[in-house]
């Protein structure tokens, strides 16, 4: 599941970067990155406001001010890339344990 989320956020990072490139340099304008909050507000503004109210009421108002709000002002492609790397790191597979050989070799 963690690797799936890593791929999902990786695709979101690529989609956000391509959208920024299509709106900027491909149209002859300078490159400008769209923040995560702008994308979220365009998709569903009331859920962004509800998330803000939930965090301030149930967790901490300073958590919203010091951690989440600055993260939401990052470019969407950067935040999605960081989340993708996070899920890939915590979801990496461990090497299987080596099984003991049935007939171990003797060292000379």
């Amino acid at each position: 599941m963690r690797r799936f989320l890593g791929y999902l956020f990786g695709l979101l990072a690529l989609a956000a970067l391509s959208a920024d490139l299509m709106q900027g340099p491909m149209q002859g304008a300078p490159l400008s990155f769209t923040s995560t909050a702008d994308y979220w507000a365009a998709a569903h503004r009331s859920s962004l406001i509800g998330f803000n109210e939930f965090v301030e009421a149930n967790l901490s108002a300073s958590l919203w001010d010091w951690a989440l709000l600055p993260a939401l002002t990052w470019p969407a492609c950067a935040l999605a890339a960081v989340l993708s790397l996070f899920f890939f790191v915590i979801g990496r597979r461990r090497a299987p344990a080596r099984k003991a050989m049935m007939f171990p070799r003797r060292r000379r």
Side-chain angles (χ1 to χ4, degrees):
M1 182 68 177
R2 293 178 207 144
R3 292 178 65 85
F4 171 74
L5 289 173
Y7 284 119
L8 180 69
F9 280 110
L11 287 174
L12 286 174
L14 287 174
L17 181 63
S18 64
D20 289 337
L21 288 173
M22 293 298 278
Q23 292 174 0
M26 297 294 236
Q27 300 292 329
L31 178 63
S32 64
F33 294 106
T34 307
S35 72
T36 307
D38 290 340
Y39 277 123
W40 192 350
H44 199 257
R45 183 177 300 275
S46 62
S47 68
L48 177 60
I49 295 168
F51 181 64
N52 177 7
E53 292 171 357
F54 171 79
V55 169
E56 288 182 349
N58 296 324
L59 298 174
S60 172
S62 60
L63 175 68
W64 178 261
D65 293 335
W66 291 96
L68 296 176
L69 188 60
L72 288 174
T73 59
W74 288 4
C77 58
L79 183 62
V82 167
L83 288 173
S84 175
L85 288 174
F86 171 75
F87 282 115
F88 276 127
V89 167
I90 67 169
R92 70 173 194 223
R93 295 184 184 170
R94 299 201 170 138
R98 289 188 79 184
K99 295 181 181 178
M101 295 175 63
M102 184 179 230
F103 300 106
R105 297 180 184 162
R106 293 184 186 165
R107 290 189 169 182
R108 292 185 180 182

